[in-house]
Amino acid sequence: MSKYSPFRFIISSCPPERAESEMTSQRPSKVLSRALVATLCLTFAASARASEESWQEAMDAGTKAFKEQKFPKALECFTRALKDSDSFHGNSDSKAKSLNDLALVYDQMGRRDKARELYQKSLDIKRKAHGNDDQDLIPTLNNLASSYMEDEKFDDAEKSLLEANRIIEKSGKDDPRLCINLNRLSAIYRSREDYDRAEKTLLQSLETAKKVFGEGNPAIAVIQNNLAVVKRLQNKPAEAESLYKSSLQIRESASGKDDLGVAGSLNNLARSYREQGKFDEAEPLLERSLKIVDSDQSATPEQKIAAIKNLALVYREMGEPAKAEPLYSRALSMQTETFGEGNESLIDTLSDQGSMFQELEKYSDAVTSFEKALAICKTVGASADDMKVKVLSRLEDCYRQDNNLDRAIEINQEGRTLIEKQESPDQKLLSDKLNDLAMLYKQKEDFANSEKYLKEAMSVIEKAYGRDSKENSIFMNNLARLYSENDMPDKAADLYKSVIDIRSKVFGARSLPVAAAMRNYASVLRDLNQNDDAKKMNGEAASIEKEVQQ
């Protein structure tokens, strides 16, 4: 099944700054079940001719093997069917179907370039035989789009989906295939951070789904959930919360309050609460979700682990890391038993456990967890490098908090080396690491190195984003503060003026970030004995703060 399934719900198993974790519902409606499985083109027309009978037998055997996930056997059967299709008259439809199904097998085996070559051949045959508007083009176009999405080739996927939608709309807009494809398109637009277009697409999908499925169908809940994700990304938490609540009510009414789909909706609503700082409201939802998952025999280990980690996370966010400790132990035990000790999935959980120990000031235990995570990263290899950088950052912060600054600096160097050796180094991440290094030297009261690495951070970020970026204003502000704290008010004043100018462009002249910079600038002006100017600057900051609060 494609990880870009059009209808799914999301369960976060990691803090907001990390990538969200997702888990697919195990009980979709019949309509959704059909939507979530790649379409096998089958023909059951009887034929008196031996070659056609042989073709049909091979197709049936291939379909059976495919459903049983016996892909080498399916490959053999569909290859035989393709050969048979060449030996009887009027074979274009049969050949196109054989190519489509053979491509699906290659897709499942991870040979997506080969799969896409066969999808294109199938489409060419169909277009030649029936024209560019034939309905039989739709399943192959959708399969081709799914293949592209697996490799994050979103432009190609979009092209295929738009062609499929154009054909669907010719038969009437109230078609379930249209709302499914619109959901998939919205995922593409989200990947481009084109949230307005994603929203528009999902609203169209929702309108179609209500006509096709009815107001209370689980399909509506899934589309509303996807729309809520977009609302969150648009910084519209109240609208997202309302959509999550509606999705939960639909799932409870349609499937019962103890359904796995309900567990997913509870997690989604809880995430909305967490992002708004409503941890007390999120906690009972996550506890209920875990109870549902634990009691459902069909729940997968992945679903149980995600539910456990979500609850552990909210306990930490509530300032109660001790309550999270047994949950992380349980999650790790389950992961080890299910996937093995060196499985990549343990990296994230071990890293979260390390952070939890750090919050409990159990620094030795934290280091142990982080080191275990790094050992798995090393075993996994280059594919785990992004996660390794994150774990190293947490380990660095642990040593910093434990005042082992020399070791923290060593870990910072290791992380920067890993970033720099990448084919396309993340300049934002690299500049952040340089800023972190500067703060470590500042904590060591090493002014020269702190200044040096802050300037390097600014240089890197200016090349990537320009001088007037909000990212650069952060490092500039840190350097200004360093100068101020080391009796260099002239240098600090010049930088604070630049910070005010940049933040006015980025956030608006009457914004809180500008007011904060004005407060800092006023403090430096007092150090320069420019008290009247300092008073005026503080007054302007106070005016902005009052205006924003109103």
Side-chain angles (χ1 to χ4, degrees), residues 103 139 166 219 269 302 323 331 340 394 441 527:
R166 179 188 60 78
L269 179 56
E302 290 90 346
K323 293 174 70 174
R394 292 188 177 195
Y441 278 115
D527 292 338

Side-chain angles (χ1 to χ4, degrees), residues 10 55 71 124-125 133-134 136 148 194 203 248 266 284 289 309 324 361 379 426 462 466 487 511 519 549:
I10 299 170
W55 173 82
F71 300 126
D124 289 344
I125 292 171
D133 298 331
D134 189 71
D136 283 345
Y148 281 131
D194 188 350
L203 287 171
L248 174 60
L266 289 166
S289 176
K309 292 172 66 177
E361 299 184 5
T379 301
D426 186 329
E462 282 183 23
D487 299 324
S511 63
R519 295 285 192 188
Q549 289 170 358

Side-chain angles (χ1 to χ4, degrees), residues 349-363:
T349 310
L350 284 165
S351 183
D352 286 346
Q353 184 189 51
S355 294
M356 179 269 299
F357 280 132
Q358 183 180 345
E359 290 159 10
L360 290 169
E361 299 184 5
K362 296 181 177 181
Y363 300 117

Side-chain angles (χ1 to χ4, degrees), residues 355-413:
S355 294
M356 179 269 299
F357 280 132
Q358 183 180 345
E359 290 159 10
L360 290 169
E361 299 184 5
K362 296 181 177 181
Y363 300 117
S364 177
D365 290 335
V367 169
T368 298
S369 294
F370 291 135
E371 293 289 359
K372 286 181 180 179
L374 291 172
I376 297 174
C377 288
K378 183 177 181 180
T379 301
V380 172
S383 64
D385 278 355
D386 287 345
M387 182 59 75
K388 185 176 181 180
V389 170
K390 295 176 183 178
V391 177
L392 285 168
S393 291
R394 292 188 177 195
L395 179 57
E396 173 192 332
D397 188 63
C398 180
Y399 281 125
R400 179 201 60 77
Q401 190 173 332
D402 195 27
N403 208 36
N404 189 344
L405 301 179
D406 289 336
R407 184 64 180 133
I409 289 170
E410 292 174 2
I411 297 297
N412 182 284
Q413 176 63 54

Side-chain angles (χ1 to χ4, degrees), residues 519 534-544:
R519 295 285 192 188
K535 185 177 179 180
K536 182 179 179 181
M537 190 59 58
N538 267 326
E540 184 65 14
S543 174
I544 294 172

Side-chain angles (χ1 to χ4, degrees), residues 483-490 492 496 520-531 534:
Y483 286 142
S484 178
E485 292 171 356
N486 284 272
D487 299 324
M488 299 180 183
D490 289 329
Y496 279 133
N520 291 334
Y521 183 36
S523 177
V524 172
L525 288 173
R526 284 196 298 270
D527 292 338
L528 292 167
N529 294 317
Q530 298 178 23
N531 295 322

